[in-house]
């Protein structure tokens, strides 16, 4: 198995220490920094496989860093923050984070989410098929999705969600089913995650996101992805 490199961006020394001890114990390579400014330098110089990002940093908001990263990379980003209100979670996910864990956190849960996020980036590497649906085309081997022949800029979660839809076209998928398949076991009730991501995907692939042709809402049940868009 590949030896993954995790970058920690955390200004709280005790949390940073806990993460470092945990990663050492579980044999994850890791690098860490305390500020937004150093985070970008470290990212560019080490090319990590996953980011753990605190939001309240000494030189600014971690969301700004996440937005900068999303301009240049699809790397999985897990937010680790003491902020636990829904609005802040949605803002972080909208900025491009893939996962959000609130402090105080369980080390085992954090490790499980890291594994899930890393699994996503590796599971497609062995596949080579392409699927075409309307004006959308997915290449599973290169993890690329094209819309009207242009490559879509997607975060890892957006990619996983669209991939799941494309593998299950014209089927009604329940909210719980989608959450479990895309986010993982334990996420079945996180409806706001799903709503947020469906909205961002619609903005990217629908002519009119209020009257969608591809991602149809099945009221009270879930969604159905149609290819005759
Ligand atoms: Ca902090």
């Amino acid at each position: 198995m590949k030896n993954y490199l995790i970058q920690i961006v955390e200004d709280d020394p005790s949390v940073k220490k806990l993460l470092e001890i945990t990663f050492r114990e579980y044999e994850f390579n890791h690098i860490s920094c305390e500020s937004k400014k150093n985070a970008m330098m470290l990212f560019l110089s080490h090319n990590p496989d996953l980011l753990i990002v605190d939001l309240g940093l000494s030189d600014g908001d971690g969301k700004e860093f996440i937005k900068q990263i999303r301009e240049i990379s699809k790397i999985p980003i897990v937010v680790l923050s003491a902020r636990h209100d829904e609005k802040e979670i949605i803002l972080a996910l909208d900025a491009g984070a893939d996962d959000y864990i609130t402090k105080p956190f369980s080390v085992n849960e954090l490790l499980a989410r890291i594994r899930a996020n890393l699994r996503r980036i590796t599971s497609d590497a062995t596949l080579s098929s392409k699927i075409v649906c309307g004006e959308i085309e997915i290449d599973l081997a290169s993890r690329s999705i094209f819309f009207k022949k242009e490559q879509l800029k997607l975060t890892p979660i957006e990619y996983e969600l669209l991939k799941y839809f494309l593998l299950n076209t014209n089927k009604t998928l329940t909210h719980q089913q989608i959450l479990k398949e895309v986010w993982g076991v334990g996420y079945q009730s996180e409806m706001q995650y799903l709503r947020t991501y469906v909205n961002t995907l619609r903005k990217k692939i629908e002519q009119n996101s209020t009257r969608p042709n591809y991602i149809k809402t099945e009221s009270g049940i879930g969604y159905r992805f149609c290819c005759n868009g």
Side-chain angles (χ1 to χ4, degrees), residues 9-12 34 54-58 80-83 103:
V9 186
E10 173 63 77
D11 67 342
D12 180 332
E34 300 83 27
D54 179 24
L55 294 183
L57 298 168
S58 52
L80 186 58
S81 174
R83 302 173 187 172
K103 296 174 186 169

Side-chain angles (χ1 to χ4, degrees), residues 106-220:
S106 135
V107 164
N108 287 330
E109 185 186 354
L110 174 71
L111 287 168
R113 302 233 192 150
I114 288 172
R115 284 193 298 269
N117 276 283
L118 289 174
R119 222 168 21 238
R120 274 185 210 120
I121 57 170
T122 49
S123 63
D124 292 343
T126 52
L127 302 168
S128 63
S129 54
K130 285 187 184 176
I131 300 167
V132 179
C133 166
E135 291 184 295
I136 302 170
E137 183 180 339
I138 181 169
D139 180 341
L140 295 166
S142 65
R143 293 180 58 84
S144 323
I145 297 185
F146 298 86
F147 178 61
K148 296 184 176 178
K149 311 269 181 229
E150 298 256 338
Q151 187 167 357
L152 282 177
K153 269 191 175 180
L154 300 171
T155 70
I157 287 275
E158 286 170 353
Y159 171 83
E160 287 303 323
L161 181 58
L162 192 47
K163 182 181 94 177
Y164 185 61
F165 281 141
L166 288 165
L167 291 171
N168 295 283
T169 51
N170 301 318
K171 288 184 206 159
T172 297
L173 303 165
T174 67
H175 298 124
Q176 288 77 7
Q177 225 174 340
I178 302 168
L179 283 159
K180 182 166 165 262
E181 289 298 323
V182 176
W183 277 265
V185 174
Y187 284 79
Q188 284 95 322
S189 58
E190 303 287 352
M191 295 283 285
Q192 84 274 16
Y193 283 23
L194 183 55
R195 269 199 300 273
T196 302
Y197 276 92
V198 164
N199 284 338
T200 63
L201 274 185
R202 277 179 173 156
K203 281 181 199 143
K204 293 182 182 185
I205 60 169
E206 302 285 4
Q207 299 281 10
N208 177 348
S209 54
T210 57
R211 289 177 53 205
N213 285 321
Y214 287 107
I215 311 177
K216 307 269 193 198
T217 299
E218 297 283 353
S219 195

